[in-house]
Amino acid sequence: MSEADGSEESTRWPAILTWRAHDGRRMESVRVQLSGDRIKAHGRIVAAATGSHPAFSASYDLVTDESGATKRLSLTITLAERERQLSIAHDEENMWLVQDHSGETSRSAYDGAVDVDVIFSPFFNALPIRRTRVFQRPGESVTLPVVYVRVPDLSVDVATIGYTTGADGIKLNSPVAETTITVDDDGFILNYPGLAERI
């Protein structure tokens, strides 16, 4: 399901996708390689300071398995005064290993989550949308847990996100938004009201 006229052509891969926040204070650009449902992505979010967070840059590398489930994510946050890193990996026992900026490692099931979501990023919403194929089935609804990463503080917890496909897009219900998003023919976000649009 693409934009209203349905004429959006499928993207050729690999591709660089870029989004701009509606308020102009943040951008994200990511190089995406697809092989079936497997995704390799290298991206960056650049954000100006707001009342809720300082200026920061976040660079990430993501690899999924052949089903589109996240295998590993490495994330580096750069602030004016410091740089921090976070590493997340999903193991064979469906557990997540999280290594924080201090080098401490924790292990959790995160309620059975197989996707990661990074706040402020339109890209990461595509992971469960593509993996479940909800965007290709009008009327379909999925609610699932995700490993939820907040930036720039790099806190990690579990969150529940719901997606319901309708005639005007996909209704999204997350910890930070209830809105209707639109995606392209490959399931990547075109417009996420209140967050960003693809340019």
Side-chain angles (χ1 to χ4, degrees), residues 125-191:
N125 280 276
L127 300 181
I129 289 172
R130 285 177 48 82
R131 185 179 57 75
T132 63
R133 296 292 174 198
V134 67
F135 72 105
Q136 294 175 333
R137 298 193 290 266
E140 184 85 6
S141 182
V142 296
T143 300
L144 37 80
V146 296
V147 178
Y148 198 64
V149 182
R150 295 180 186 274
V151 293
D153 65 328
L154 292 182
S155 64
V156 180
D157 53 21
V158 66
T160 300
I161 298 184
Y163 299 96
T164 302
T165 303
D168 56 345
I170 300 173
K171 288 185 170 50
L172 171 125
N173 189 336
S174 81
V176 294
E178 285 188 34
T179 189
T180 299
I181 60 178
T182 55
V183 303
D184 65 16
D185 293 338
D186 295 300
F188 292 98
I189 307 299
L190 289 170
N191 189 34

Side-chain angles (χ1 to χ4, degrees), residues 10-198:
S10 235
T11 304
R12 297 188 186 277
W13 305 101
I16 293 180
L17 307 179
T18 303
W19 294 267
R20 179 178 53 215
H22 293 109
D23 65 5
R25 301 182 69 85
R26 192 175 54 258
M27 288 191 75
E28 178 178 11
S29 188
V30 56
R31 181 179 189 266
V32 180
Q33 294 174 270
L34 296 183
S35 176
D37 288 331
R38 184 188 299 269
I39 298 173
K40 283 181 68 176
H42 175 71
R44 179 178 295 274
I45 302 166
V46 178
T50 69
S52 61
H53 64 75
F56 71 89
S57 169
S59 61
Y60 59 83
D61 284 289
L62 169 92
V63 177
T64 76
D65 65 16
E66 52 282 342
S67 74
T70 300
K71 281 178 65 176
R72 63 183 177 275
L73 168 69
S74 59
L75 184 61
T76 301
I77 296 289
T78 304
L79 301 169
E81 66 278 7
R82 66 180 180 272
E83 188 172 275
R84 289 184 167 178
Q85 295 181 329
L86 179 74
S87 176
I88 301 176
H90 197 209
D91 68 19
E92 308 273 326
E93 298 171 344
N94 289 323
M95 297 291 283
W96 292 90
L97 298 173
V98 178
Q99 185 174 56
D100 67 18
H101 59 88
S102 65
E104 289 188 27
T105 302
S106 60
R107 193 167 186 253
S108 173
Y110 288 110
D111 293 347
V114 296
D115 304 296
V116 173
D117 192 8
V118 176
I119 195 169
F120 297 134
S121 169
F123 167 73
F124 282 88
N125 280 276
L127 300 181
I129 289 172
R130 285 177 48 82
R131 185 179 57 75
T132 63
R133 296 292 174 198
V134 67
F135 72 105
Q136 294 175 333
R137 298 193 290 266
E140 184 85 6
S141 182
V142 296
T143 300
L144 37 80
V146 296
V147 178
Y148 198 64
V149 182
R150 295 180 186 274
V151 293
D153 65 328
L154 292 182
S155 64
V156 180
D157 53 21
V158 66
T160 300
I161 298 184
Y163 299 96
T164 302
T165 303
D168 56 345
I170 300 173
K171 288 185 170 50
L172 171 125
N173 189 336
S174 81
V176 294
E178 285 188 34
T179 189
T180 299
I181 60 178
T182 55
V183 303
D184 65 16
D185 293 338
D186 295 300
F188 292 98
I189 307 299
L190 289 170
N191 189 34
Y192 184 141
L195 181 67
E197 63 182 339
R198 208 151 99 205

